[in-house]
């Protein structure tokens, strides 16, 4: 994390908020035998999820290479009894998906990062481990940083080996656009590191400071207000499937050169998006999109998931 942003005072819950869970395979079904959540976190009981809603799960579960197949998947929904992230909040999340288990995780609602006074900050650390022949789909709902908020998040995802499968999604809004809070937050930091067999697969170190950076300039958001990432690791996306996803995204983005460089005042239609899919050095895939509405980006990413 970034020590210069740490707040030595107690957060509003009087301690670090924690969420720790472990998923395991039992008799061909995923179970969650270990779960601990402190305020403001609440977690619904695990429920069944259709395998067709999980990118690549059907193909992967059907493989037989001498090892156990993936267990039937379960989904967990993480809830919060708080109105959102507040000044001084510290959160620690730890997720362990053991061999053979298949887990989908999402959140109850868009995450609001509230206004903070000068010098105030909030932070979160997330540690995820996906075991051999295990599967994780991590799909929290979008984040909305309010004006004058300051938030940092540090996420480390460790996959045991090439039999560990994962989809990781994140969507960030520029703020409450309808209230005129377009890039009005103080700063937003996000560090994501994904490794497989100890080797780096994907590293993203994002530092946004709208007060000192032209967030609508070249190389940043341009005319757009929302950013989405979807990291797909060890999901066996061959060249034909990659081409299908690429063609679909091209059908949604069209000609993006002019619109991507346009100022916000000249923003194109609300459903216009920019972006595409690329291969990582490991052969895995990253989808990155810019848009004007979170729901539009979610719809496109859900279609990509179907194609995977």
């Amino acid at each position: 994390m970034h020590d210069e942003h740490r707040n030595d005072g107690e957060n509003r819950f009087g301690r670090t908020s924690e969420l720790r869970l472990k998923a395991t395979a039992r008799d061909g079904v995923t179970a969650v035998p270990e779960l601990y959540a402190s305020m403001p976190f609440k977690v619904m009981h695990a429920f069944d999820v259709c395998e067709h809603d999980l990118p690549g799960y059907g193909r992967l579960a059907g493989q037989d290479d001498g090892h156990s197949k993936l267990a039937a998947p379960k989904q967990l929904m993480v809830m919060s009894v708080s109105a959102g992230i507040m000044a001084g909040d510290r959160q620690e999340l730890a997720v362990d998906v053991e061999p053979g288990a298949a887990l989908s995780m999402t959140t109850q609602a868009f995450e609001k990062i509230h206004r903070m006074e000068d010098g105030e900050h909030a932070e979160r650390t997330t540690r995820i481990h996906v075991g051999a022949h295990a599967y994780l789909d991590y799909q929290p709902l979008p984040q909305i940083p309010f004006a004058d908020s300051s938030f940092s998040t540090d996420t480390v995802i460790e996959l045991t080996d090439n039999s560990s499968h994962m989809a990781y999604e994140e969507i960030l809004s520029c703020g409450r656009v309808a209230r005129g809070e377009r890039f009005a937050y103080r700063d937003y930091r996000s560090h994501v590191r994904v490794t497989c067999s100890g080797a780096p697969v994907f590293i993203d170190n994002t530092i946004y400071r709208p007060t000192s950076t032209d967030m609508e300039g070249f190389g940043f958001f341009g005319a757009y207000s929302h950013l989405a990432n979807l990291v797909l690791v060890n999901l066996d996306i061959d060249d034909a499937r990659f081409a299908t996803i690429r063609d679909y995204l091209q059908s949604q983005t069209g000609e993006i050169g002019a619109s991507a460089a346009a100022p916000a005042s000249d923003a194109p239609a609300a459903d216009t998006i920019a972006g595409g899919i690329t291969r990582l050095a490991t052969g895995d895939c990253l989808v990155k999109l810019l848009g004007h509405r979170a729901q539009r980006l979610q719809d496109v990413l859900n279609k990509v998931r179907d194609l995977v």
Side-chain angles (χ1 to χ4, degrees):
M1 298 299 293
H2 305 279
D3 291 337
E4 67 269 25
H5 281 305
R6 292 195 66 90
N7 186 335
D8 292 332
E10 293 182 340
N11 71 9
R12 64 197 188 93
F13 301 106
R15 57 183 173 149
T16 297
S17 303
E18 296 181 73
L19 173 63
R20 302 194 303 269
L21 66 91
K22 179 180 292 185
T24 189
R26 291 182 176 176
D27 300 323
V29 178
T30 299
V32 184
E34 297 183 23
L35 174 61
Y36 171 80
S38 65
M39 294 291 284
F41 293 120
K42 297 284 187 179
V43 182
M44 292 184 64
H45 292 294
F47 51 90
D48 295 334
V49 57
C50 178
E51 66 176 48
H52 299 296
D53 293 333
L54 305 180
Y57 173 87
R59 290 181 292 109
L60 297 168
Q63 293 178 353
D64 185 2
D65 56 0
H67 298 276
S68 298
K69 297 180 180 180
L70 284 170
K74 291 289 184 178
Q75 184 174 67
L76 288 179
M77 179 176 288
V78 179
M79 301 178 292
S80 175
V81 297
S82 167
I85 301 292
M86 303 291 186
D89 283 357
R90 298 179 189 170
Q91 299 181 349
E92 295 181 357
L93 287 72
V95 178
D96 185 10
V97 186
E98 294 193 322
L103 183 67
S104 171
M105 290 186 64
T106 187
T107 51
Q108 177 190 24
F110 284 29
E111 185 169 56
K112 303 175 182 66
I113 306 172
H114 287 268
R115 181 182 181 278
M116 302 171 191
E117 300 296 334
D118 288 345
E120 293 182 329
H121 181 68
E123 59 187 37
R124 171 185 295 154
T125 62
T126 303
R127 298 293 180 263
I128 297 173
H129 177 260
V130 184
H133 305 281
Y135 178 102
L136 174 66
D137 182 14
Y138 197 78
Q139 190 182 14
L141 293 183
Q143 291 184 316
I144 308 173
F146 287 13
D148 296 319
S149 63
S150 176
F151 181 66
S152 61
T153 175
D154 183 71
T155 302
V156 177
I157 305 171
E158 297 178 339
L159 283 68
T160 298
D161 56 32
N162 290 337
S163 69
S164 309
H165 315 291
M166 185 203 69
Y168 174 85
E169 180 176 316
E170 57 185 8
I171 298 178
L172 175 66
S173 165
C174 73
R176 297 182 293 180
V177 178
R179 294 176 62 94
E181 294 182 3
R182 186 181 175 93
F183 301 109
Y185 53 87
R186 190 181 313 132
D187 61 73
Y188 178 92
R189 298 178 176 220
S190 173
H191 182 267
V192 180
R193 177 182 174 88
V194 181
T195 66
C196 182
S197 301
V201 173
F202 173 77
I203 299 175
D204 183 30
N205 188 29
T206 294
I207 302 175
Y208 292 148
R209 291 195 184 101
T211 56
S212 59
T213 302
D214 181 5
M215 299 298 297
E216 296 171 327
F218 181 77
F220 287 86
F221 281 71
Y224 297 94
S225 59
H226 292 69
L227 170 67
N229 287 321
L230 176 61
V231 187
L232 304 164
V233 183
N234 295 332
L235 295 184
D236 295 343
I237 301 175
D238 59 20
D239 289 344
R241 200 173 302 274
F242 181 91
T244 299
I245 297 170
R246 180 196 60 207
D247 291 346
Y248 164 70
L249 291 174
Q250 187 172 5
S251 75
Q252 299 299 302
T253 59
E255 296 295 331
I256 67 171
S259 61
S265 59
D266 297 330
D271 282 342
T272 303
I273 62 173
I277 184 171
T278 187
R279 290 277 191 194
L280 302 173
T282 56
D284 298 300
C285 295
L286 168 65
V287 176
K288 187 177 287 285
L289 299 173
L290 288 166
H292 299 284
R293 295 188 300 116
Q295 184 61 58
R296 168 69 166 143
L297 295 181
Q298 288 175 302
D299 290 344
V300 172
L301 291 183
N302 284 339
K303 178 61 177 179
V304 171
R305 289 164 167 271
D306 292 342
L307 295 175
V308 171

